[in-house]
Amino acid sequence: FFTALYALSELADLGEGDRVLIHGAAGGVGLAAIQYAQHVGAEIFATAGSASKRALLDALGVDHVYDSRTLQFAQRVLDDTSGEGVDVVLNCLSGEALRLSLEVLRPFGRFLELGKRDIYENSRLGLRAFRNNISYFCIDVDQLFEHRPRVAKRVNAELHGLLADGALSPLPHKVFPARDIVSAFTYMQQSQHVGKVVVDMATVDGLEAKHDNEQEPLVLRSDATYLITGGTSGLGLAAAKWLADRGARHIALISRHASEVRRE
């Protein structure tokens, strides 16, 4: 909900009568975006990857629903808007689908990029679509809390107000017990889920999970090497510092893309 609200309210200023195209609309952020768009009175265009998910979007009252696994959605959006296009795109698609989504924005449209694939692959993006005063936003809310805490606080306050008023309601979700966590990841990887996937950590193999203060103390060997994948920044780097503070003397840090290796 926070991601959807930051994108549609803070960045896109979505309002009544605006047209918004939401890709991957049966996922968590997509369903949250639909709720907010309906709340402000926007006309919704949405894509999903399976017939069952598209049926769900129809049942939720989405105005226009398309298949995200083909590129025909772009022409259908234009057909359904008499060639005008939409005001906002909330995107999680990559490659040609991303470029076509840019093309369906009408003048002064806002493109909200949630996907990371094209960014990390440094894909080329033609500038022709930007001739119509289009704005492009790359969204990573983790950075928002670190670099723009006042904005994060404002969005969070708006979100809690909408939840308290009943304008937004809980998302559908499927719960897996902790012992079936592999099944949970497989289920999500295969894009079978609607809404969110939840792992219940209350029990593990029928036993109550211990709190941190009940666990056996961690013993680190000074002659051992500890490997952290994704350890060159963020949580991985913080974990490396935590290990070093507790006696680890040999720590190997590998970047997420294996382009950089550091040994300390």
Side-chain angles (χ1 to χ4, degrees), residues 46-115:
T47 69
S50 70
S52 61
K53 292 180 179 180
R54 291 191 290 276
L56 170 67
L57 299 180
D58 280 326
L60 291 175
V62 174
D63 303 294
H64 312 273
V65 181
Y66 314 108
D67 188 350
S68 62
R69 297 191 182 276
T70 76
L71 298 177
Q72 297 177 1
F73 70 84
Q75 186 57 53
R76 292 193 60 190
V77 168
L78 293 175
D79 291 342
D80 289 343
T81 58
S82 301
E84 293 182 1
V86 298
D87 300 286
V88 177
V89 173
L90 185 63
N91 182 64
C92 62
L93 304 183
S94 60
E96 185 63 20
L98 183 155
R99 288 183 280 274
L100 287 173
S101 297
L102 273 171
E103 294 293 338
V104 302
L105 279 172
R106 57 184 178 182
F108 293 91
R110 289 84 79 194
F111 192 90
L112 308 166
E113 178 61 85
L114 298 178

Side-chain angles (χ1 to χ4, degrees), residues 178-195:
R179 63 179 175 273
D180 292 334
I181 193 168
V182 173
S183 299
F185 277 101
T186 301
Y187 183 75
M188 182 173 66
Q189 185 182 39
Q190 294 175 349
S191 298
Q192 299 179 31
H193 63 292
V194 170

Side-chain angles (χ1 to χ4, degrees), residues 2 54 66 110 146 223 245:
F2 186 95
R54 291 191 290 276
Y66 314 108
R110 289 84 79 194
E146 179 179 357
D223 62 340
D245 290 341

Side-chain angles (χ1 to χ4, degrees), residues 235-251:
L235 179 61
L237 187 58
K241 293 177 180 177
W242 187 91
L243 289 171
D245 290 341
R246 285 157 179 78
R249 293 294 173 262
H250 305 282
I251 304 173

Side-chain angles (χ1 to χ4, degrees), residues 20-43:
V20 56
L21 171 61
I22 302 171
H23 285 306
V29 175
L31 289 173
I34 287 173
Q35 286 193 34
Y36 181 76
Q38 289 175 330
H39 170 67
V40 300
E43 183 179 1

